[in-house]
Amino acid sequence: MRNDDRDDQRIFDRTSRTPTLPDGRGIRIGILTSGGDAQGMNAAVRAVVRSAISVGAEVYAIYEGYQGMIDGGEGIRKFGWDDVGSILNRGGTVIGTFRSKEMREREGRLKAVRHLLHRGIDRLVVIGGDGSLTGLNLLRNEWSGLVAELVERGDLAPEVAEQHPSLMIAGLVGSIDNDLVGSDMTIGADTALHRIVDAIDDLASTAASHQRSFVVEVMGRHCGYLALMSAVAGGADYVLVPEQPPAPGWEDEMCAELRKGRESGRRDSIVIIAEGATDREGNPIRAEYVRKVLAERLNEDARVTILGHVQRGGKPSAYDRWASTWLGYSAVHEVLTATPESEGMVVGTRSNRSERLSLVKAVADTQHVPELIEAGQYHEAMRMRGGSFLEMDAIFSELADPARTTPEPDYRRIAVMHAGGPAPGMNTAMRALVRLGISRGHTMIGIHNGFVGLAANDMEEITWSQVEGLTGEGGAMLGTRREVPQTQDLYAISRALEKNDIDALVVIGGYSAYDGVHKMTTERDRYPAFRIPTVCVPASIDNNLPGSELSIGTDTALNVIVDAMDKIKESGIASKRCFVVETMGKNCGYLAMMSGIAAGAERIYLNEDGISLDDLVTDVHWLRESFAKGRRLFLAVRNENASKNYTTEFLAQMMEEESHGMYDVRTAVLGHMQQGGSPSPFDRLLATRFSYQALNLVDDELAVGQDGSWFMGIREGSTHAGKMETMSSLVDPQHRRPRHQWWLDLRTVARTLSDELRS
């Protein structure tokens, strides 16, 4: 999961807003990528370059990692605004990366410092893993000594040394393993998870066709993040991670679980193994060995798929673009405000915000995890990975164990339904609820077609096998409707709940779901059947639901939008063209803002800001001047309800009219494609996590005879439950969106990176 309720002891400097960058005139910043490449590095490089230039600083790209500093010459090049144009959608790193052995020697570091100071660079932003960050901190600590030695050798003028007495640094973590302790997500991990889950989906279809077993090896030498999260998101049956080596005899346990799964109706078996998985003696567990065990003990046709470096490749996901952009902006703030007395910092993510954390401590904690594993302190190693890692491990254990596939007759009857617009991940949430509910002994009842189906008594029991394979399915198997129950519908709904002996209700959906449950809650005195534990699980691509910073379906919609924008931009490469792209979101601009940042839009129009005529006049002049200076492509993103009168078509016509033939303008209204498709790994994990917590809440309520009405949410990285009675205090009723929206802080970042002329 990208969100984490880590309870470990670390030093964070929390801020609820994105600060404005200080004046950077007279300052020169170096930027390099080091170690293994990771998707999203280019977004971070772009953000560093443009953020620094926007406040007057000069930026030098250092090619091939630390080796570029050692080689000097063309290895260190001054970058301008356009040097980082059109790189957001590219995988890898455009400035190259290298594991420099020479940098490990003092003589190599002397060369590096001499070449940096030859260009007046005394601030560095380094994007890499813990080894790269360790080298960065060493260079910072040795700086004054290295400078003094260069002066003594005659390789550096004393006045230059006096002007640059210290090195100010900021680290960004580029690692698909997501192994930095203290940061929720590292650059590249989300995209790698996309690659893995896509592969698992493809393998699952062929495995089910032939009733085969597949053993899939993923990256992760010391960190099981990719293995565990892909196992949950991909609906796998067994997983092996480095942090928790299996006990002796694990082969028997694995085969027993897979055998029970087959008996319960599964047509395929998938085992995920991290490349660094070992047994408790420290012996590596190889994928081929697992395959042989399955073939010999289960008499199954078993195959091995080692994904390898495909996990590092391809276009970065929407998250790895907008989050890396935010991190790059924050890194520039860090190096511009650092002093010689400042502690070296890594800028990471925590609860979907950029956070500063101690470089020394973060690296030390990260390197301590393998030591804990080697010492047999597995629980502590798991704890160091954070609360979400532990929670997902517990969820996977319960989801994958088919010990109970039929309900207990004396347990409760829990109904599940969808309401509101469709959102990718609805099926994932429903599957998790059904599987977890049955495993706990409950009878799970599916209500078809939302509140309309509930009023019509359109419901049936759902079995374990009916939800097999739904993890990656888009849409909503039970059907969903936007209708909110009216006063005349409440009696029929009450009778349906009574007739079917429903003990609890979980509603997965958007604003209509919340409105409907809220209305039922306020009518409990008239209809006693409504006095049952009721929980809303947020699922809406609009991301406009109270009490939760993120909703199921939003991440998938973002990836669909960004992929479409990539294609739209490619279509305009042969001419001078402006595109105005309209996204969904109703009165919430989340999709427009985040996709605009991820796709590199020059202008983003939101309902939250509105559109004024003065804004449009400024934008038209800016647009004309941009094309006059050589621009060939311009992208504007408009939230569908940004303005009632200044429509997408109007904006395009106005820009076309004022172009005076300098460029042409096209529109793209993306429409309902944003609600479709297979849910992204993040939406699958979020849906599973919400369902787990919702069912826990229902179980707690039933255990003590309570009948609360709740909605689930995620805030500051942790899942929370809010009382439905408080919903009105959390929303702006006129615009049907939360009163506080964390992502609006990113407006500062979007404006800074939008265009050199405006900055």
Side-chain angles (χ1 to χ4, degrees), residues 7-8 241-245 280 368-369 371-387 389-391 393-394:
D7 56 2
D8 39 27
V241 298
E243 294 86 348
Q244 199 170 51
R280 297 200 173 182
H368 185 48
V369 175
E371 297 171 356
L372 291 171
I373 297 171
E374 187 175 356
Q377 299 181 44
Y378 308 129
H379 179 75
E380 181 64 14
M382 293 284 287
R383 190 195 69 81
M384 291 284 282
R385 294 296 182 208
F389 196 86
L390 285 169
E391 183 182 49
D393 180 63

Side-chain angles (χ1 to χ4, degrees), residues 143-170:
W143 181 270
S144 60
L146 294 170
V147 170
E149 187 172 340
L150 288 171
V151 172
E152 184 179 341
R153 288 183 175 187
D155 292 335
L156 187 69
E159 56 270 24
V160 174
E162 291 176 5
Q163 293 170 0
H164 306 283
S166 303
L167 177 67
M168 272 64 76
I169 64 171

Side-chain angles (χ1 to χ4, degrees), residues 20 41 110 115 151 155 238 264 266 315 417 458 481:
T20 302
M41 280 183 165
L110 281 166
H115 289 137
V151 172
D155 292 335
Y238 200 82
S264 68
R266 287 179 182 156
K315 292 184 177 183
M417 61 179 278
D458 187 4
R481 299 280 291 271

Side-chain angles (χ1 to χ4, degrees), residues 672-714:
H672 287 82
M673 65 184 293
Q674 297 161 82
Q675 293 179 313
S678 176
S680 69
F682 177 74
D683 276 329
R684 300 186 196 190
L685 295 171
L686 186 63
T688 303
R689 187 180 186 187
F690 273 145
S691 296
Y692 177 77
Q693 294 292 357
L695 191 60
N696 287 347
L697 179 57
V698 166
D699 283 340
D700 290 343
E701 292 272 291
L702 291 172
V704 296
Q706 297 294 318
D707 54 12
S709 184
W710 306 85
F711 52 81
M712 299 303 303
I714 191 161

